[in-house]
Amino acid sequence: MTMRTQVGASATRTLGWGLYCASSWTWCIGMFLPIIMLRRFGWPGFLVFAIPNVIGLIAFGYLFDVEKARTALRRHRTAMRLFSLATAAFQLFFVTWMALRLDFPGGTTTAVGIGLGAWVLGLLTVRCSDAIWWKLGSVAWLCSITLFVWHLLQSGPGELTRRPMSGDVAGLDLIALAPAIVFGFLLCPWLDGSFHRARIRSASPHTFMVFGAAFIPMILFTCSYAIGGDIMIERLVLIQLALQATFTIGVHLKEAWTGGCDLEQEDAFAKVARALDPANTRRWTFALWLPGLAVPLGAISLTADLSTYLRFLGFYGLAFPAYVLFFMIIRGRQAPSARQWMFFLLLLFPAGIAYDVGFVGDQPLAVPFTVALLLLLAAISWLINAQKVSS
C-alpha cells in the first residue's frame, strides 16, 4: 500500500467513524430535549444543552487513545453495558410514546407494534461487522442532513428564527439546572461503548472533531421542527425520528451484546469460540426482555408522558456521570468492587430523589445541591485514595 493510499484510508476512517458517532449520538435526547430547553428558556437553554454536549464528545477523542479505550472497555464493561441497555430502552420508550401521541388507527396496539418494529430492526444489525457499521452511520447522517434541507425547503426554519432569547421559565431556573446538564454531557461519553469502538477503529482523535462538526447540524434540525414547545408532526420529521432512533437502538444493542469484547479478540478461533459460547443464549435473553420493559412504558397512559422522559434523563444527568467521576476519574479508572457498587447505588438513591424533585417536580434549586454533594464526596474519595497510595 502506497503512502498516498494509506493517508486516504486513514482520512476515510476518520471521516466515516466521525459521521457514525454523529448518528449514534443523535437519539431521543438530541431529537427532543432541545425542544424542551427552547420552550422553557429560549436560545440560552439550547446553548446550555449544546455547548457542553459538543465539548464533551470532542474532548473524549483527545482524552482517550486506543490503549486507554481498550482498557476502559475491559475494566468497565459492566457499566458500559448498563449504559447501552438504558439507552436502547430509552429509544424504545420514546418511539412508542411518540407513536401513541400521533393517534394512529389502532391506538396503543399500533404504538406497541411500532416500538417492537424498531427493536427488531435494531436487533437485525447487531451482527454487522464494524466495516459495515461506520458505513451505515455515514449513510444515516447523510440521510438526516438531506431530510434537514428538505424540511427547511418545505416547512421553513421553524424555531430557528421564531424562538426568542427568553422562554416560559425564569433564567434563574436555567442556572440551577445547568450543573447537572454540564455534568452529564461532559462525562457520559466515557461510558458510551460506540465512542470507544470508534476511537479504536479510526485510531485518530480527529474523528471526534469530525463528530462535533457533524453533530451540530443534527441538533439544529431538532430546533427547526420545534413548534410551540413540541414536535412539528410532519412526514420528514417522522422519518428522521424513526431513522435515528432505530439506528441508535442497533448501535447500543450491539454494545450491550458484545461489551466491546469483539474489539479485543480478532483471530478466527476466538470468533468461533464466541459463536459456541453459552453466553450467546444469555445475550438473546436480555434482547428479549428489554422491549418487554421499555415498550409498555411508552404505551401505558400512566407512564407515557414527559415525566417518564425526564426520569430517563436522570441516568445521563446523574447516575452515569457519577460513575465516571468516582470510578473512572477518582479511582484511576479502576472497576468498582461489589462493595463499592453497593455503596454507589445507595448513594444514588437520595441523589435520584433530589434530581426528580428538581427536574420533574419543577424545583430546580435541588439540582445544584445534588451535584455539589457528589463533587464533595468525590473530593473526599480522592483524598482517601491518595492517602492509601502514598502510604
Coordinates of all heavy atoms in Angstrom, one line a residue, residues 219-259:
I219 N -28.6 18.7 15.7 CA -29.4 19.3 16.7 C -30.1 20.6 16.3 O -31.1 21.0 16.8 CB -28.6 19.5 18.0 CG1 -27.4 20.3 17.8 CG2 -28.3 18.2 18.7 CD1 -26.6 20.6 19.1
L220 N -29.5 21.2 15.2 CA -30.2 22.4 14.6 C -31.4 21.9 13.9 O -32.4 22.6 13.8 CB -29.3 23.1 13.7 CG -28.2 23.9 14.4 CD1 -27.2 24.6 13.4 CD2 -28.8 25.0 15.3
F221 N -31.4 20.7 13.3 CA -32.5 20.1 12.7 C -33.7 20.0 13.7 O -34.8 20.3 13.5 CB -32.2 18.7 12.1 CG -33.2 18.1 11.3 CD1 -34.4 18.7 11.0 CD2 -33.1 16.8 10.8 CE1 -35.4 18.1 10.2 CE2 -34.0 16.1 10.1 CZ -35.2 16.8 9.7
T222 N -33.3 19.5 14.9 CA -34.3 19.4 16.0 C -34.9 20.8 16.3 O -36.2 20.9 16.4 CB -33.7 18.9 17.3 OG1 -33.1 17.6 17.1 CG2 -34.7 18.8 18.4
C223 N -34.1 21.8 16.3 CA -34.7 23.2 16.5 C -35.6 23.6 15.4 O -36.6 24.3 15.7 CB -33.6 24.2 16.7 SG -32.4 23.9 18.0
S224 N -35.4 23.1 14.2 CA -36.2 23.6 13.1 C -37.6 22.9 13.1 O -38.5 23.5 12.6 CB -35.5 23.2 11.8 OG -35.6 21.8 11.5
Y225 N -37.7 21.7 13.7 CA -39.0 21.1 13.8 C -39.7 21.3 15.2 O -40.7 20.7 15.5 CB -39.0 19.7 13.3 CG -38.2 18.7 14.1 CD1 -38.5 18.3 15.4 CD2 -37.1 18.1 13.5 CE1 -37.7 17.4 16.1 CE2 -36.3 17.1 14.1 CZ -36.6 16.8 15.4 OH -35.9 15.8 16.1
A226 N -39.1 22.2 16.0 CA -39.8 22.5 17.2 C -40.8 23.6 17.0 O -40.5 24.6 16.2 CB -38.7 23.1 18.2
I227 N -42.0 23.4 17.5 CA -43.0 24.5 17.3 C -43.9 24.5 18.6 O -44.4 23.4 19.0 CB -43.9 24.2 16.0 CG1 -44.9 25.3 15.9 CG2 -44.5 22.8 16.1 CD1 -45.6 25.2 14.5
G228 N -44.0 25.6 19.2 CA -44.9 25.7 20.4 C -44.5 24.8 21.5 O -45.3 24.4 22.3
G229 N -43.2 24.5 21.6 CA -42.7 23.7 22.7 C -42.9 22.2 22.4 O -42.8 21.4 23.3
D230 N -43.2 21.8 21.2 CA -43.5 20.4 20.9 C -42.9 20.1 19.5 O -42.4 21.0 18.8 CB -45.0 20.1 21.0 CG -45.2 18.6 21.3 OD1 -44.3 17.8 21.2 OD2 -46.4 18.3 21.7
I231 N -43.0 18.8 19.1 CA -42.5 18.4 17.8 C -43.5 18.7 16.7 O -44.7 18.4 16.9 CB -42.2 16.9 17.8 CG1 -40.9 16.6 18.6 CG2 -42.0 16.4 16.4 CD1 -40.6 15.2 18.7
M232 N -43.1 19.3 15.6 CA -43.9 19.5 14.5 C -44.2 18.1 13.8 O -43.3 17.4 13.4 CB -43.2 20.4 13.5 CG -44.0 20.7 12.2 SD -43.0 21.6 11.0 CE -42.6 23.1 11.8
I233 N -45.5 17.8 13.8 CA -45.8 16.5 13.2 C -45.9 16.6 11.7 O -46.8 17.1 11.1 CB -47.2 16.0 13.7 CG1 -47.1 15.9 15.2 CG2 -47.6 14.6 13.1 CD1 -46.1 15.0 15.8
E234 N -44.8 16.1 11.0 CA -44.7 16.3 9.6 C -43.9 15.1 9.1 O -43.1 14.5 9.8 CB -43.9 17.6 9.3 CG -43.9 18.1 7.9 CD -42.7 17.7 7.2 OE1 -41.7 17.5 7.9 OE2 -42.7 17.5 5.9
R235 N -44.2 14.7 7.8 CA -43.6 13.4 7.3 C -42.1 13.3 7.4 O -41.6 12.3 7.9 CB -44.1 13.3 5.8 CG -43.5 12.0 5.1 CD -44.2 11.9 3.8 NE -44.0 13.1 3.0 CZ -43.0 13.3 2.1 NH1 -42.1 12.4 2.0 NH2 -42.9 14.4 1.4
L236 N -41.4 14.3 7.0 CA -39.9 14.3 7.1 C -39.4 14.2 8.5 O -38.4 13.5 8.7 CB -39.4 15.5 6.4 CG -39.7 15.7 4.9 CD1 -39.2 17.0 4.3 CD2 -39.2 14.5 4.1
V237 N -40.1 14.9 9.4 CA -39.7 14.8 10.8 C -39.9 13.4 11.3 O -39.0 12.8 12.1 CB -40.5 15.8 11.6 CG1 -40.2 15.6 13.1 CG2 -40.2 17.2 11.2
L238 N -41.0 12.7 11.0 CA -41.2 11.4 11.4 C -40.2 10.4 10.9 O -39.8 9.5 11.6 CB -42.6 10.9 11.0 CG -43.8 11.7 11.6 CD1 -45.1 11.2 11.1 CD2 -43.8 11.7 13.1
I239 N -39.8 10.6 9.7 CA -38.7 9.8 9.1 C -37.4 10.0 9.9 O -36.7 9.0 10.2 CB -38.5 10.1 7.6 CG1 -39.8 9.7 6.8 CG2 -37.3 9.4 7.0 CD1 -39.7 10.2 5.3
Q240 N -37.1 11.2 10.2 CA -35.9 11.5 11.0 C -35.9 10.8 12.3 O -35.0 10.2 12.8 CB -35.7 13.0 11.1 CG -34.7 13.4 12.2 CD -33.3 13.1 11.8 OE1 -33.0 12.5 10.8 NE2 -32.3 13.6 12.6
L241 N -37.0 10.9 13.0 CA -37.2 10.3 14.4 C -37.0 8.8 14.3 O -36.3 8.2 15.1 CB -38.5 10.7 15.0 CG -38.8 12.2 15.3 CD1 -40.2 12.3 15.8 CD2 -37.8 12.7 16.3
A242 N -37.7 8.2 13.3 CA -37.6 6.7 13.1 C -36.2 6.3 12.8 O -35.7 5.3 13.3 CB -38.7 6.3 12.1
L243 N -35.6 7.0 11.8 CA -34.3 6.6 11.3 C -33.2 6.7 12.4 O -32.5 5.7 12.7 CB -33.9 7.6 10.2 CG -32.4 7.5 9.7 CD1 -32.1 6.2 9.0 CD2 -32.1 8.7 8.8
Q244 N -33.2 7.8 13.1 CA -32.1 7.9 14.1 C -32.3 7.1 15.4 O -31.4 6.5 15.9 CB -32.0 9.4 14.5 CG -31.4 10.3 13.4 CD -30.0 9.9 13.0 OE1 -29.6 10.2 11.9 NE2 -29.2 9.2 13.8
A245 N -33.6 7.0 15.8 CA -33.9 6.2 17.0 C -33.6 4.7 16.7 O -33.0 4.0 17.5 CB -35.3 6.3 17.4
T246 N -33.9 4.2 15.5 CA -33.7 2.8 15.2 C -32.2 2.5 15.1 O -31.7 1.5 15.5 CB -34.4 2.5 13.9 OG1 -35.8 2.7 14.0 CG2 -34.2 1.0 13.5
F247 N -31.5 3.5 14.4 CA -30.0 3.3 14.3 C -29.4 3.2 15.7 O -28.5 2.4 16.0 CB -29.4 4.5 13.5 CG -27.9 4.4 13.3 CD1 -27.4 3.5 12.4 CD2 -27.1 5.1 14.1 CE1 -26.0 3.4 12.2 CE2 -25.7 4.9 14.0 CZ -25.2 4.1 13.0
T248 N -29.8 4.1 16.6 CA -29.2 4.1 17.9 C -29.6 2.8 18.7 O -28.7 2.3 19.5 CB -29.7 5.3 18.7 OG1 -29.4 6.5 18.1 CG2 -29.2 5.4 20.1
I249 N -30.8 2.3 18.5 CA -31.1 1.1 19.1 C -30.2 0.0 18.7 O -29.7 -0.8 19.5 CB -32.6 0.7 18.8 CG1 -33.6 1.6 19.5 CG2 -32.9 -0.8 19.2 CD1 -35.0 1.5 19.1
G250 N -29.9 -0.1 17.4 CA -29.0 -1.1 16.9 C -27.6 -0.9 17.4 O -26.9 -1.9 17.8
V251 N -27.1 0.3 17.5 CA -25.8 0.6 18.0 C -25.6 0.1 19.4 O -24.7 -0.6 19.8 CB -25.5 2.1 17.9 CG1 -24.2 2.4 18.8 CG2 -25.2 2.5 16.5
H252 N -26.6 0.4 20.2 CA -26.5 0.1 21.7 C -26.9 -1.4 22.0 O -26.4 -1.9 23.0 CB -27.2 1.1 22.5 CG -26.4 2.4 22.6 ND1 -25.3 2.6 23.3 CD2 -26.6 3.6 21.8 CE1 -24.9 3.8 23.2 NE2 -25.6 4.4 22.3
L253 N -27.7 -2.0 21.2 CA -27.9 -3.4 21.4 C -26.6 -4.1 21.1 O -26.2 -5.1 21.8 CB -29.0 -3.9 20.4 CG -30.4 -3.6 20.9 CD1 -31.4 -4.1 19.8 CD2 -30.7 -4.3 22.2
K254 N -25.8 -3.7 20.1 CA -24.5 -4.3 19.8 C -23.6 -4.1 20.9 O -22.9 -5.0 21.3 CB -24.0 -3.7 18.5 CG -22.6 -4.3 18.1 CD -22.1 -3.7 16.8 CE -20.7 -4.3 16.4 NZ -20.8 -5.8 16.2
E255 N -23.5 -2.9 21.4 CA -22.6 -2.6 22.5 C -22.9 -3.4 23.8 O -22.1 -3.9 24.5 CB -22.5 -1.1 22.8 CG -22.0 -0.2 21.7 CD -20.6 -0.7 21.2 OE1 -19.8 -1.2 22.0 OE2 -20.4 -0.5 20.0
A256 N -24.2 -3.5 24.1 CA -24.7 -4.3 25.2 C -24.4 -5.8 25.0 O -24.1 -6.5 25.9 CB -26.1 -4.0 25.5
W257 N -24.5 -6.2 23.7 CA -24.4 -7.6 23.4 C -22.9 -8.0 23.5 O -22.6 -9.0 24.1 CB -24.8 -7.8 21.9 CG -24.9 -9.2 21.4 CD1 -23.9 -10.1 21.3 CD2 -26.1 -9.9 21.0 NE1 -24.4 -11.2 20.8 CE2 -25.7 -11.2 20.6 CE3 -27.5 -9.5 21.0 CZ2 -26.7 -12.1 20.2 CZ3 -28.4 -10.4 20.5 CH2 -28.0 -11.7 20.1
T258 N -22.0 -7.2 22.9 CA -20.6 -7.6 22.9 C -19.8 -7.0 24.1 O -18.8 -7.6 24.5 CB -19.9 -7.1 21.6 OG1 -20.0 -5.7 21.6 CG2 -20.7 -7.6 20.4
G259 N -20.2 -5.9 24.6 CA -19.4 -5.3 25.7 C -18.0 -4.9 25.2 O -17.1 -4.8 26.0

